[in-house]
Structure formats: structure tokens, C-alpha cells
Amino acid sequence: SPRRYTYVLGEGESVKTAVKQFEKLENEQITIKHLIELFNVEKLNIKFFADYKKHYNKFWSYLLDNNKYKKLFPSFDEEKQEKSIRDFTKKLLGRIVFLHFLQKKGWMGCDPHPTEWENGEKQFLLKLLDGFEDKEHFHSKCLTYLFFNTLNAKRENDIFQVEGLNNDLDKTKIPYLNGGLFETDTEVNAKSIDFAFSYFQDLFEF
């Protein structure tokens, strides 16, 4: 099953996982058993989802423990309230995972002049966080604008511009996606919710 042991290496690719696994082989007598164990993608996927779940738990627990935000998910039933908070967090992180896929393709933060979608910023999310001035309101003022007013809105020449962004991502090209994933939330006003910017920094780096 070669797909389970395949890595893409080279310019513009993240090789962190492969490098770490090769480092473990240093001073070892390398056998095919070692290689299979270290490069089994299935095992790495299990670790990835375990780490992803830690980020998910951190986000939804923050909302549940913050009375100001908890009240935004009204319910007489505590279990239903917690489920609403979990669902909100799943959608938020799901959107971010999808954007990670788009940035990997080079479709985020493209040059506004060519008609092709190429040569976008491969670290778009991290660079967006780094260049946004008001980091404590990154979610309410920047991410929600990206979701609802950019990816979900037709714009002239697909230009992305958000107040408070001070780097070369401003006035770049971002696609309009007519798929429903970035429709404005009706269950709760996402623009009234914020997290510590370190939550996003840790998540994007992960």
C-alpha cells in the first residue's frame, strides 16, 4: 500500500514530519521494520487527530468557561448548551482546516493582476494573524470578515481587503466560494466572540 508511506518533499513543501522521523533513525541499525513503523501514515494520522482534538477541546472549553460567551448559546438544558458550543467550534475549526487546504494549493493571497489562481501565500493563515494589528480581536474582526464578507461574497476582481491588516496580504486575491461553508452563522453572532490570539497562533502552527 504505497500511499500509506508516501511523502511529498521539495521546495514549498512542509518536511517537518519526514525530518523528525529520519532523525529517529540516527545511530540505529536501519531495517525495513524500522522504516515501516516510522513512516506509517496511518499511525501519524492517529497522532494528528489526537493533537487536533486538543486544540478543539481548548477552543470549546474556553467558550463554556467564559460566562459572557456562554450566554450567547442560550438553553435551559446544559447538555444542549454545551452541544451548541461544541458545534460552533467544530464549524470554526472545520473552516480553518478547509482554508489550510486552499493555502496549500496556493489559492489564498494571490497576486491581484494575473487571471490564474497560482503562487498564493502557502502560510496565508499565519501571515494573516501576524499582519493583523488588533490580535485580541482577530476572530471577530478579521476571521469573520474573511469567512462571511470575502469567501462568501462576490467582489470586484476577487480582492481581499480588511481594516487593520498591515502586510502584503492586503488587496490580494481570494476566491469567492459558493458552497455554503462560509455562510453567515444564524445560530450565534460569531462577530461577538473572540479568543486569545495565541489559540490561533498555536493552531495555525500545528
Side-chain angles (χ1 to χ4, degrees):
S1 182
R3 271 187 82 176
R4 286 177 59 193
Y5 304 97
T6 299
Y7 291 83
V8 180
L9 309 178
E11 188 177 351
E13 298 294 339
S14 174
V15 297
K16 190 187 299 181
T17 300
V19 169
K20 279 184 179 177
Q21 299 307 89
F22 275 120
E23 283 176 349
K24 291 177 183 176
L25 291 173
E26 192 176 6
N27 301 321
E28 293 269 355
Q29 184 176 355
I30 301 171
T31 66
I32 191 67
K33 184 180 177 183
H34 277 117
L35 293 173
I36 288 174
E37 188 171 326
L38 286 172
F39 289 95
N40 186 335
V41 176
E42 189 174 298
K43 181 188 285 188
L44 295 176
N45 282 345
I46 291 170
K47 183 181 186 316
F48 170 84
F49 284 111
D51 290 343
Y52 179 83
K53 189 176 179 181
K54 290 177 185 175
H55 288 279
Y56 162 71
N57 287 336
K58 186 166 74 169
F59 273 81
W60 78 258
S61 297
Y62 175 80
L63 295 177
L64 187 68
D65 295 339
N66 185 309
N67 285 329
K68 174 187 169 185
Y69 295 143
K70 187 177 179 181
K71 289 175 183 175
L72 298 174
F73 302 85
S75 177
F76 296 109
D77 186 320
E78 285 192 5
E79 285 189 13
K80 286 182 179 177
Q81 185 179 44
E82 183 177 310
K83 183 181 183 303
S84 295
I85 291 172
R86 286 174 178 266
D87 287 345
F88 174 85
T89 307
K90 283 177 190 173
K91 187 183 285 187
L92 170 61
L93 267 63
R95 286 166 169 160
I96 289 170
V97 167
F98 187 73
L99 292 186
H100 186 83
F101 167 77
L102 292 185
Q103 73 178 16
K104 178 86 171 166
K105 291 286 187 181
W107 296 341
M108 300 288 288
C110 297
D111 189 310
H113 303 297
T115 55
E116 300 83 15
W117 289 92
E118 59 185 11
N119 300 321
E121 174 55 58
K122 296 289 184 78
Q123 294 292 331
F124 178 87
L125 290 170
L126 269 172
K127 196 167 181 180
L128 184 68
L129 178 63
D130 183 60
F132 191 69
E133 285 182 339
D134 188 2
K135 289 182 170 45
E136 294 303 325
H137 296 98
F138 176 72
H139 177 257
S140 65
K141 293 183 178 179
C142 187
L143 264 191
T144 57
Y145 191 88
L146 175 64
F147 293 163
F148 310 136
N149 299 88
T150 306
L151 293 155
N152 196 52
K154 290 184 178 180
R155 293 151 282 120
E156 187 176 353
N157 299 323
D158 296 301
I159 296 301
F160 167 60
Q161 191 171 10
V162 60
E163 188 178 346
L165 179 59
N166 292 315
N167 61 18
D168 57 11
L169 291 182
D170 194 39
K171 298 180 183 176
T172 55
K173 231 173 34 164
I174 288 180
Y176 161 62
L177 304 175
N178 186 18
L181 180 60
F182 296 100
E183 286 181 354
T184 304
D185 296 321
T186 55
E187 300 86 359
V188 63
N189 181 10
K191 294 181 180 180
S192 60
I193 293 175
D194 275 301
F195 303 85
F197 87 93
S198 62
Y199 279 37
F200 289 108
Q201 188 171 39
D202 292 345
L203 178 65
F204 296 166
E205 286 176 354
F206 162 72

